[in-house]
Each structure stands twice: as C-alpha cells, then as structure tokens.
Amino acid sequence: MGWMAPEKPEQNPSEDSGHARLHQLGYKQELKRDLSVLSNFAFSFSIISVLTGITTLYSTGLNYGGPVSMTYGWFLAGFFTLFVGLSMAEICSSFPTSGGLYYWSAKLSGKEWAPFASWITGWYNIVGQWAVTTSVDFSLAELIRVIVLLSTGGNNGGGYFASKYTVIGLHGGILFTHGILNSLSISWLSFFGQFAAVWNILGVFVLMIAIPVVSTKRASADFVFTHFNFDNSSGIESKPYIFLLGILMSQYTLTGYDASAHMTEETVNADVNGPKGIISSIGISIVVGWGYLLGITFAVTDIPFLLSTDNNTRGYAIAEVFYISFKSRYGSGLGGIICLCIIAVAIFFCGMSSVTSNSRMVYAFSRDGAMPFSSTWHKVNGQEVPVNAVWLSVLISFIMALTSLGSLVAFRAMVSIATIGLYIAYALPIFFRVSLSRKSFVPGPFNLGKHGIWIGWVAVLWVMTITVLFSLPVTYPVTRDTLNYTPVAVGGVFILVLSSWIFTARYWFKGPIINLD
C-alpha cells in the first residue's frame, strides 16, 4: 500500500460509504459502526463543552482584558478555529479512520516523510488528549470543592475547603467513573453523548437567562461591550498584549473537536458524517458560547472582588457571580449552588467524551505498532470496545494530575499541552495537505474545492500565532513562580518524541500499516 492519497472507491449506493473507504485505506472493521451524524457531533460538542471551558477559565478572561477580551476575543478565536475545522473536515472526509491526525500526516507527507510525520503528529495528538482529560476532570474536582465550600457556609462563613489531597482523590474517582462508562458498549456511549449535548445547550440557555435576571445589580451594555480591564497586577501595561492573553479562555474552550475524526470508524457514512460532526460542533459552540459569556458578564459589576481570594469562593469568579446573584435577591445562595451543579454535570460528560476520544486514538496508534505493548492496547472486548485503551488513558491522565501535589505551576504547564499540543497536531496534516500534497490530494465527498489551499494556510498561520502567543510571559517581572512554562512543556514533549524517533522508532516504525486479512 503506497503513501499517496487513494483514488475514490467504487461504491454500491446501498453500501456504507465510510465502511467502504475504511476498507480501501487498508483497515478491517473492528469497532461497531453504530453512530449517526448526531452522535458523532455530540462527542465533539461535549468535549468542546462551552460550560466547561468558559467556566474553568472565566477568571483568566476577567483578569486579562475583562469583558472586551471575552466578548470580542471569543469571536476572533472562533473565526480562525473554523478555518482549522474546515481544513480538518476536508481531510477527514478523504481518510475516515480512528487514527485521524497521525494517519492524515502519514498519507499527506509523502512516502519518505510519512513515518516521521506520523510519529510526531500522533504523539502530540495523544499526549494533548491525555492533557485535555486531565484538565477537564481536575477542573471538575476543583468545582466540586467550591460547591462543598459554598454549601457549608462559604469562605467567610466557616465553610469546608478541601485539601489538595482530597481534590486529587476526587479527580481519581471521577476518572475511574469515566473508565467504567467507557467500558460499556458504543450504543450506551452514544446515548450519553447525545444527552450531554442536549444538557450543554439547555444548561447554557438556563444560565444565560437566569443569572442576569436574578441579579439585583446588573452591568450595562456599555460595560459588557466596551469595558477593558487592564488593572490585573500582572505588570503588563500594553492593552493589545493583555487582549491577546485574554483569548486563552476562548481558544482553550474551542478544542477537542478532533473527537469526530477519532470516532469515524464507529460512525455510519463516516466520510460525510465525520466532517459534519467537526464543523457543526465548532459552529454551534461559537454561537452558544457567546450567549453564555454575555449572560454571565451582564451580572458582573465588581471585577476585583470576583477575583479576590477573600470572597466567598476564594477567587473562583464565575461561582462567585452565581452565588451572590441569588443571595442578594433571595438571601440564600442555594440557587447559585444549583447552577454550579448544572455546570458540574456538563464537565462530567465532557470528561467522559474526552476519555472516549483518547481511547480511540490509543487503539488506532497501537494498531499500527506505535506504542509500547501495542498488542495490549489494540485489543477490543466482546462489545467491540477497546477497553484496555480506555483504562490506559484513565491511568495516564491520573498520573499527569499528580503534578498538582507538588506545584500548581508545574500542573498548569502540563495542562497547557491540552491547547498548544493538540493544535500543533491539528496543524501538521493541514500543512502537509497544502504543501507536499497540494497537487496529489484526492478529496472525499466533503471538500472545499479550490478554496481548500488558502483556507488551509490561514489555519496553519493561526496555529503558529497562538503557539507563540500562549508561550509569552503572562506576568512581569518573570520569576520562577511566574514563568510561563508552556514552551517548556510543549518543547519537552517535542524533545522526548524526537529523541525516541532518532534512537529507536526510526528503525522499526513505518507509519500506518494495513490489517486486512
């Protein structure tokens, strides 16, 4: 089997086009193909989960630019993310396999570069996915800590604030639950994924309406659309710099839609429905997320107080907004705690879908022999689920979270791979498509036509921009405790992956291999 893009297969009109294309790419069907386009979309939408990303980093958005950075930065990040998604969708249509990005890089980089391109892309993708699961489930553990704190009296009322050891225990319990759920059949995961998508959409509408309506003090439209917060004690005085740092919240949220690609071997007519899942999850998230941001920000009136560690939630800004909104009107913050529970459920399902995506990537990468003990991780159980890959993902995500016990700075550096690491993996196959395979690429049913090249270049340039941007210092003066360790973490992954390639993998790893009988 060569490394050039395949010709379009001859298909029986009644035949599942995704199954036929998978067979043509050299793989036999091992996973149960039950997912509809709605289910495929639901996995990516649940991982993007605007309730998860915005809630987790709302304090960051408030601190760097405030309303202006969030309101307009969301659309800026969303606009360019659509270019990345469109390019990925076009490639996904041509190569609908669970391997996704690393398989694409192999096919699009040419025979000479295929193994190396596949190795680099695959490891950035898989490590980035593990980091996403780590950050999502850890953020849920921290939110539960805040919910317990508020339920027992709050920071200023003698409430219980769990230790870092309790938080890591919660994190482990959440991961274990996700492992159990992901050991179920794909039909159950499909049901949970669709439920999570509905929960995210309804949750956003409930919160974006309820919070500003309940609040006794509301921000003006002028504040929401024009107020720029540069009083953040970061030592940064440049407004453009602060604005760009504020985009981190938006870009972190709009991540994880490669799940639609990793689920293609379980999706009906994957060469069409996989790309639809990618694009629709991004587009709907942009609209729904902006509504959520506006609704919450209209209840913001005192940014320094929301960010202060002396408030009821010890500086968890969005939780403080919910709590004081209900308490100021009803004398009790119970309604705010219930709203936080709505978000907690969304984050829970985000983590569940993230483990699902992780396990499919591990399954595909080990199918091609790229991982230690590949034969173990590639196995599927009687329900056609790669259960060993599921529990490997759970274990590694837990190990990555253990760094929080030593230093939150080190933990944040590891979690930064969730954004930058994944986007590097997104950009590599797109780059190969618009450069080395510019003339040889054979598109699938979903394609961008003559616009594919320039859209791809815009996507690559955007990833280069955010990689540099999110590696810049976020506080001055730069010290050991304030250093942005993102380039250290991302560069460290590159050094490890490159070293493993030079000293061992280049002698035996040949890229994706066929497994047809």
PDB file of all heavy atoms in Angstrom, residues 299-326:
ATOM      1  N   ALA A 299     -23.955  40.076  34.615  1.00  0.00           N
ATOM      2  CA  ALA A 299     -24.113  40.026  36.074  1.00  0.00           C
ATOM      3  C   ALA A 299     -22.825  40.427  36.794  1.00  0.00           C
ATOM      4  O   ALA A 299     -22.748  40.361  38.021  1.00  0.00           O
ATOM      5  CB  ALA A 299     -24.529  38.622  36.512  1.00  0.00           C
ATOM      6  N   VAL A 300     -21.806  40.847  36.032  1.00  0.00           N
ATOM      7  CA  VAL A 300     -20.524  41.248  36.615  1.00  0.00           C
ATOM      8  C   VAL A 300     -20.512  42.748  36.851  1.00  0.00           C
ATOM      9  O   VAL A 300     -20.760  43.529  35.930  1.00  0.00           O
ATOM     10  CB  VAL A 300     -19.359  40.858  35.673  1.00  0.00           C
ATOM     11  CG1 VAL A 300     -18.051  41.458  36.172  1.00  0.00           C
ATOM     12  CG2 VAL A 300     -19.245  39.344  35.573  1.00  0.00           C
ATOM     13  N   THR A 301     -20.236  43.144  38.090  1.00  0.00           N
ATOM     14  CA  THR A 301     -20.181  44.584  38.404  1.00  0.00           C
ATOM     15  C   THR A 301     -18.905  44.993  39.131  1.00  0.00           C
ATOM     16  O   THR A 301     -18.567  46.168  39.149  1.00  0.00           O
ATOM     17  CB  THR A 301     -21.384  44.992  39.274  1.00  0.00           C
ATOM     18  OG1 THR A 301     -21.408  44.186  40.453  1.00  0.00           O
ATOM     19  CG2 THR A 301     -22.698  44.821  38.511  1.00  0.00           C
ATOM     20  N   ASP A 302     -18.208  44.031  39.723  1.00  0.00           N
ATOM     21  CA  ASP A 302     -17.003  44.351  40.508  1.00  0.00           C
ATOM     22  C   ASP A 302     -15.935  43.294  40.230  1.00  0.00           C
ATOM     23  O   ASP A 302     -15.841  42.286  40.938  1.00  0.00           O
ATOM     24  CB  ASP A 302     -17.347  44.387  41.998  1.00  0.00           C
ATOM     25  CG  ASP A 302     -16.204  44.931  42.855  1.00  0.00           C
ATOM     26  OD1 ASP A 302     -15.060  44.988  42.356  1.00  0.00           O
ATOM     27  OD2 ASP A 302     -16.449  45.270  44.029  1.00  0.00           O
ATOM     28  N   ILE A 303     -15.120  43.517  39.221  1.00  0.00           N
ATOM     29  CA  ILE A 303     -14.123  42.532  38.806  1.00  0.00           C
ATOM     30  C   ILE A 303     -13.092  42.251  39.908  1.00  0.00           C
ATOM     31  O   ILE A 303     -12.800  41.077  40.193  1.00  0.00           O
ATOM     32  CB  ILE A 303     -13.429  42.974  37.508  1.00  0.00           C
ATOM     33  CG1 ILE A 303     -14.437  42.964  36.344  1.00  0.00           C
ATOM     34  CG2 ILE A 303     -12.243  42.068  37.179  1.00  0.00           C
ATOM     35  CD1 ILE A 303     -13.876  43.460  35.022  1.00  0.00           C
ATOM     36  N   PRO A 304     -12.499  43.262  40.557  1.00  0.00           N
ATOM     37  CA  PRO A 304     -11.522  42.968  41.615  1.00  0.00           C
ATOM     38  C   PRO A 304     -12.085  42.075  42.719  1.00  0.00           C
ATOM     39  O   PRO A 304     -11.396  41.181  43.212  1.00  0.00           O
ATOM     40  CB  PRO A 304     -11.161  44.355  42.146  1.00  0.00           C
ATOM     41  CG  PRO A 304     -11.395  45.265  40.986  1.00  0.00           C
ATOM     42  CD  PRO A 304     -12.609  44.712  40.306  1.00  0.00           C
ATOM     43  N   PHE A 305     -13.349  42.293  43.097  1.00  0.00           N
ATOM     44  CA  PHE A 305     -13.954  41.466  44.146  1.00  0.00           C
ATOM     45  C   PHE A 305     -14.118  40.025  43.678  1.00  0.00           C
ATOM     46  O   PHE A 305     -13.872  39.077  44.437  1.00  0.00           O
ATOM     47  CB  PHE A 305     -15.311  42.037  44.548  1.00  0.00           C
ATOM     48  CG  PHE A 305     -16.073  41.161  45.518  1.00  0.00           C
ATOM     49  CD1 PHE A 305     -15.671  41.052  46.843  1.00  0.00           C
ATOM     50  CD2 PHE A 305     -17.167  40.431  45.091  1.00  0.00           C
ATOM     51  CE1 PHE A 305     -16.351  40.218  47.727  1.00  0.00           C
ATOM     52  CE2 PHE A 305     -17.865  39.598  45.959  1.00  0.00           C
ATOM     53  CZ  PHE A 305     -17.450  39.493  47.288  1.00  0.00           C
ATOM     54  N   LEU A 306     -14.540  39.827  42.429  1.00  0.00           N
ATOM     55  CA  LEU A 306     -14.739  38.475  41.912  1.00  0.00           C
ATOM     56  C   LEU A 306     -13.434  37.691  41.860  1.00  0.00           C
ATOM     57  O   LEU A 306     -13.437  36.455  42.019  1.00  0.00           O
ATOM     58  CB  LEU A 306     -15.352  38.527  40.515  1.00  0.00           C
ATOM     59  CG  LEU A 306     -16.777  39.076  40.401  1.00  0.00           C
ATOM     60  CD1 LEU A 306     -17.215  39.108  38.945  1.00  0.00           C
ATOM     61  CD2 LEU A 306     -17.751  38.237  41.227  1.00  0.00           C
ATOM     62  N   LEU A 307     -12.324  38.379  41.648  1.00  0.00           N
ATOM     63  CA  LEU A 307     -11.029  37.717  41.540  1.00  0.00           C
ATOM     64  C   LEU A 307     -10.300  37.600  42.870  1.00  0.00           C
ATOM     65  O   LEU A 307      -9.271  36.925  42.963  1.00  0.00           O
ATOM     66  CB  LEU A 307     -10.138  38.471  40.540  1.00  0.00           C
ATOM     67  CG  LEU A 307     -10.634  38.515  39.088  1.00  0.00           C
ATOM     68  CD1 LEU A 307      -9.729  39.412  38.248  1.00  0.00           C
ATOM     69  CD2 LEU A 307     -10.676  37.117  38.490  1.00  0.00           C
ATOM     70  N   SER A 308     -10.833  38.231  43.909  1.00  0.00           N
ATOM     71  CA  SER A 308     -10.177  38.234  45.211  1.00  0.00           C
ATOM     72  C   SER A 308     -10.298  36.884  45.919  1.00  0.00           C
ATOM     73  O   SER A 308     -11.371  36.276  45.950  1.00  0.00           O
ATOM     74  CB  SER A 308     -10.783  39.324  46.100  1.00  0.00           C
ATOM     75  OG  SER A 308     -10.292  39.226  47.428  1.00  0.00           O
ATOM     76  N   THR A 309      -9.221  36.425  46.523  1.00  0.00           N
ATOM     77  CA  THR A 309      -9.249  35.171  47.278  1.00  0.00           C
ATOM     78  C   THR A 309      -9.968  35.327  48.613  1.00  0.00           C
ATOM     79  O   THR A 309     -10.138  34.343  49.345  1.00  0.00           O
ATOM     80  CB  THR A 309      -7.821  34.664  47.536  1.00  0.00           C
ATOM     81  OG1 THR A 309      -7.060  35.694  48.184  1.00  0.00           O
ATOM     82  CG2 THR A 309      -7.138  34.277  46.225  1.00  0.00           C
ATOM     83  N   ASP A 310     -10.387  36.537  48.922  1.00  0.00           N
ATOM     84  CA  ASP A 310     -11.111  36.784  50.180  1.00  0.00           C
ATOM     85  C   ASP A 310     -12.627  36.701  50.009  1.00  0.00           C
ATOM     86  O   ASP A 310     -13.368  36.879  50.971  1.00  0.00           O
ATOM     87  CB  ASP A 310     -10.759  38.170  50.740  1.00  0.00           C
ATOM     88  CG  ASP A 310      -9.299  38.270  51.163  1.00  0.00           C
ATOM     89  OD1 ASP A 310      -8.760  37.240  51.621  1.00  0.00           O
ATOM     90  OD2 ASP A 310      -8.706  39.356  51.013  1.00  0.00           O
ATOM     91  N   ASN A 311     -13.107  36.443  48.795  1.00  0.00           N
ATOM     92  CA  ASN A 311     -14.558  36.369  48.618  1.00  0.00           C
ATOM     93  C   ASN A 311     -15.089  34.992  49.035  1.00  0.00           C
ATOM     94  O   ASN A 311     -14.337  34.142  49.523  1.00  0.00           O
ATOM     95  CB  ASN A 311     -14.965  36.732  47.178  1.00  0.00           C
ATOM     96  CG  ASN A 311     -14.426  35.759  46.138  1.00  0.00           C
ATOM     97  OD1 ASN A 311     -14.164  34.592  46.426  1.00  0.00           O
ATOM     98  ND2 ASN A 311     -14.259  36.235  44.908  1.00  0.00           N
ATOM     99  N   ASN A 312     -16.360  34.751  48.822  1.00  0.00           N
ATOM    100  CA  ASN A 312     -16.998  33.511  49.287  1.00  0.00           C
ATOM    101  C   ASN A 312     -16.399  32.246  48.679  1.00  0.00           C
ATOM    102  O   ASN A 312     -16.393  31.181  49.301  1.00  0.00           O
ATOM    103  CB  ASN A 312     -18.499  33.536  48.955  1.00  0.00           C
ATOM    104  CG  ASN A 312     -19.224  34.652  49.662  1.00  0.00           C
ATOM    105  OD1 ASN A 312     -19.347  34.667  50.873  1.00  0.00           O
ATOM    106  ND2 ASN A 312     -19.709  35.625  48.890  1.00  0.00           N
ATOM    107  N   THR A 313     -15.909  32.350  47.440  1.00  0.00           N
ATOM    108  CA  THR A 313     -15.428  31.166  46.711  1.00  0.00           C
ATOM    109  C   THR A 313     -13.903  31.100  46.614  1.00  0.00           C
ATOM    110  O   THR A 313     -13.376  30.300  45.857  1.00  0.00           O
ATOM    111  CB  THR A 313     -16.019  31.152  45.290  1.00  0.00           C
ATOM    112  OG1 THR A 313     -15.588  32.347  44.596  1.00  0.00           O
ATOM    113  CG2 THR A 313     -17.537  31.119  45.331  1.00  0.00           C
ATOM    114  N   ARG A 314     -13.214  31.972  47.329  1.00  0.00           N
ATOM    115  CA  ARG A 314     -11.744  32.046  47.308  1.00  0.00           C
ATOM    116  C   ARG A 314     -11.222  32.366  45.904  1.00  0.00           C
ATOM    117  O   ARG A 314     -10.207  31.855  45.458  1.00  0.00           O
ATOM    118  CB  ARG A 314     -11.126  30.741  47.824  1.00  0.00           C
ATOM    119  CG  ARG A 314     -11.392  30.488  49.297  1.00  0.00           C
ATOM    120  CD  ARG A 314     -10.884  29.115  49.728  1.00  0.00           C
ATOM    121  NE  ARG A 314      -9.433  29.043  49.663  1.00  0.00           N
ATOM    122  CZ  ARG A 314      -8.600  29.114  50.718  1.00  0.00           C
ATOM    123  NH1 ARG A 314      -9.105  29.281  51.940  1.00  0.00           N
ATOM    124  NH2 ARG A 314      -7.306  29.001  50.567  1.00  0.00           N
ATOM    125  N   GLY A 315     -11.962  33.228  45.185  1.00  0.00           N
ATOM    126  CA  GLY A 315     -11.496  33.725  43.894  1.00  0.00           C
ATOM    127  C   GLY A 315     -11.978  32.979  42.681  1.00  0.00           C
ATOM    128  O   GLY A 315     -11.543  33.275  41.566  1.00  0.00           O
ATOM    129  N   TYR A 316     -12.907  32.032  42.857  1.00  0.00           N
ATOM    130  CA  TYR A 316     -13.479  31.315  41.703  1.00  0.00           C
ATOM    131  C   TYR A 316     -14.579  32.207  41.138  1.00  0.00           C
ATOM    132  O   TYR A 316     -15.734  32.135  41.532  1.00  0.00           O
ATOM    133  CB  TYR A 316     -14.043  29.964  42.148  1.00  0.00           C
ATOM    134  CG  TYR A 316     -14.210  28.949  41.042  1.00  0.00           C
ATOM    135  CD1 TYR A 316     -13.518  27.748  41.058  1.00  0.00           C
ATOM    136  CD2 TYR A 316     -15.073  29.187  39.964  1.00  0.00           C
ATOM    137  CE1 TYR A 316     -13.687  26.797  40.042  1.00  0.00           C
ATOM    138  CE2 TYR A 316     -15.242  28.255  38.954  1.00  0.00           C
ATOM    139  CZ  TYR A 316     -14.535  27.059  38.998  1.00  0.00           C
ATOM    140  OH  TYR A 316     -14.706  26.141  37.994  1.00  0.00           O
ATOM    141  N   ALA A 317     -14.205  33.056  40.165  1.00  0.00           N
ATOM    142  CA  ALA A 317     -15.036  34.187  39.742  1.00  0.00           C
ATOM    143  C   ALA A 317     -16.456  33.817  39.345  1.00  0.00           C
ATOM    144  O   ALA A 317     -17.424  34.420  39.814  1.00  0.00           O
ATOM    145  CB  ALA A 317     -14.344  34.931  38.596  1.00  0.00           C
ATOM    146  N   ILE A 318     -16.618  32.855  38.476  1.00  0.00           N
ATOM    147  CA  ILE A 318     -17.953  32.573  37.950  1.00  0.00           C
ATOM    148  C   ILE A 318     -18.850  31.979  39.036  1.00  0.00           C
ATOM    149  O   ILE A 318     -20.060  32.236  39.072  1.00  0.00           O
ATOM    150  CB  ILE A 318     -17.863  31.641  36.724  1.00  0.00           C
ATOM    151  CG1 ILE A 318     -19.042  31.899  35.781  1.00  0.00           C
ATOM    152  CG2 ILE A 318     -17.796  30.181  37.105  1.00  0.00           C
ATOM    153  CD1 ILE A 318     -18.857  31.322  34.391  1.00  0.00           C
ATOM    154  N   ALA A 319     -18.266  31.216  39.962  1.00  0.00           N
ATOM    155  CA  ALA A 319     -19.043  30.676  41.077  1.00  0.00           C
ATOM    156  C   ALA A 319     -19.495  31.805  41.998  1.00  0.00           C
ATOM    157  O   ALA A 319     -20.611  31.786  42.531  1.00  0.00           O
ATOM    158  CB  ALA A 319     -18.208  29.660  41.861  1.00  0.00           C
ATOM    159  N   GLU A 320     -18.637  32.798  42.162  1.00  0.00           N
ATOM    160  CA  GLU A 320     -18.992  33.954  42.993  1.00  0.00           C
ATOM    161  C   GLU A 320     -20.140  34.736  42.367  1.00  0.00           C
ATOM    162  O   GLU A 320     -21.048  35.211  43.050  1.00  0.00           O
ATOM    163  CB  GLU A 320     -17.773  34.858  43.172  1.00  0.00           C
ATOM    164  CG  GLU A 320     -17.974  36.021  44.132  1.00  0.00           C
ATOM    165  CD  GLU A 320     -18.111  35.581  45.580  1.00  0.00           C
ATOM    166  OE1 GLU A 320     -17.648  34.475  45.919  1.00  0.00           O
ATOM    167  OE2 GLU A 320     -18.680  36.348  46.378  1.00  0.00           O
ATOM    168  N   VAL A 321     -20.125  34.874  41.040  1.00  0.00           N
ATOM    169  CA  VAL A 321     -21.215  35.558  40.337  1.00  0.00           C
ATOM    170  C   VAL A 321     -22.534  34.850  40.604  1.00  0.00           C
ATOM    171  O   VAL A 321     -23.549  35.486  40.944  1.00  0.00           O
ATOM    172  CB  VAL A 321     -20.936  35.601  38.811  1.00  0.00           C
ATOM    173  CG1 VAL A 321     -22.173  36.108  38.061  1.00  0.00           C
ATOM    174  CG2 VAL A 321     -19.755  36.500  38.509  1.00  0.00           C
ATOM    175  N   PHE A 322     -22.557  33.532  40.447  1.00  0.00           N
ATOM    176  CA  PHE A 322     -23.782  32.761  40.664  1.00  0.00           C
ATOM    177  C   PHE A 322     -24.265  32.900  42.110  1.00  0.00           C
ATOM    178  O   PHE A 322     -25.442  33.121  42.374  1.00  0.00           O
ATOM    179  CB  PHE A 322     -23.551  31.280  40.350  1.00  0.00           C
ATOM    180  CG  PHE A 322     -23.323  30.979  38.900  1.00  0.00           C
ATOM    181  CD1 PHE A 322     -23.040  29.691  38.479  1.00  0.00           C
ATOM    182  CD2 PHE A 322     -23.393  31.974  37.935  1.00  0.00           C
ATOM    183  CE1 PHE A 322     -22.836  29.395  37.139  1.00  0.00           C
ATOM    184  CE2 PHE A 322     -23.188  31.695  36.605  1.00  0.00           C
ATOM    185  CZ  PHE A 322     -22.906  30.405  36.203  1.00  0.00           C
ATOM    186  N   TYR A 323     -23.341  32.754  43.034  1.00  0.00           N
ATOM    187  CA  TYR A 323     -23.686  32.723  44.460  1.00  0.00           C
ATOM    188  C   TYR A 323     -24.266  34.059  44.926  1.00  0.00           C
ATOM    189  O   TYR A 323     -25.338  34.110  45.539  1.00  0.00           O
ATOM    190  CB  TYR A 323     -22.445  32.370  45.273  1.00  0.00           C
ATOM    191  CG  TYR A 323     -22.709  32.138  46.737  1.00  0.00           C
ATOM    192  CD1 TYR A 323     -23.357  30.987  47.177  1.00  0.00           C
ATOM    193  CD2 TYR A 323     -22.298  33.065  47.693  1.00  0.00           C
ATOM    194  CE1 TYR A 323     -23.592  30.762  48.518  1.00  0.00           C
ATOM    195  CE2 TYR A 323     -22.527  32.855  49.033  1.00  0.00           C
ATOM    196  CZ  TYR A 323     -23.180  31.702  49.449  1.00  0.00           C
ATOM    197  OH  TYR A 323     -23.414  31.491  50.795  1.00  0.00           O
ATOM    198  N   ILE A 324     -23.572  35.162  44.603  1.00  0.00           N
ATOM    199  CA  ILE A 324     -24.033  36.458  45.095  1.00  0.00           C
ATOM    200  C   ILE A 324     -25.279  36.938  44.350  1.00  0.00           C
ATOM    201  O   ILE A 324     -26.066  37.728  44.895  1.00  0.00           O
ATOM    202  CB  ILE A 324     -22.917  37.532  45.016  1.00  0.00           C
ATOM    203  CG1 ILE A 324     -22.462  37.764  43.576  1.00  0.00           C
ATOM    204  CG2 ILE A 324     -21.749  37.147  45.896  1.00  0.00           C
ATOM    205  CD1 ILE A 324     -21.411  38.858  43.427  1.00  0.00           C
ATOM    206  N   SER A 325     -25.475  36.460  43.124  1.00  0.00           N
ATOM    207  CA  SER A 325     -26.681  36.839  42.375  1.00  0.00           C
ATOM    208  C   SER A 325     -27.927  36.348  43.101  1.00  0.00           C
ATOM    209  O   SER A 325     -28.901  37.093  43.282  1.00  0.00           O
ATOM    210  CB  SER A 325     -26.635  36.262  40.954  1.00  0.00           C
ATOM    211  OG  SER A 325     -25.605  36.851  40.197  1.00  0.00           O
ATOM    212  N   PHE A 326     -27.915  35.097  43.520  1.00  0.00           N
ATOM    213  CA  PHE A 326     -29.068  34.535  44.225  1.00  0.00           C
ATOM    214  C   PHE A 326     -29.145  35.027  45.668  1.00  0.00           C
ATOM    215  O   PHE A 326     -30.240  35.300  46.176  1.00  0.00           O
ATOM    216  CB  PHE A 326     -29.004  33.003  44.191  1.00  0.00           C
ATOM    217  CG  PHE A 326     -29.499  32.409  42.905  1.00  0.00           C
ATOM    218  CD1 PHE A 326     -28.638  32.214  41.836  1.00  0.00           C
ATOM    219  CD2 PHE A 326     -30.835  32.062  42.757  1.00  0.00           C
ATOM    220  CE1 PHE A 326     -29.091  31.680  40.641  1.00  0.00           C
ATOM    221  CE2 PHE A 326     -31.309  31.517  41.553  1.00  0.00           C
ATOM    222  CZ  PHE A 326     -30.429  31.334  40.496  1.00  0.00           C
TER     223      PHE A 326
END
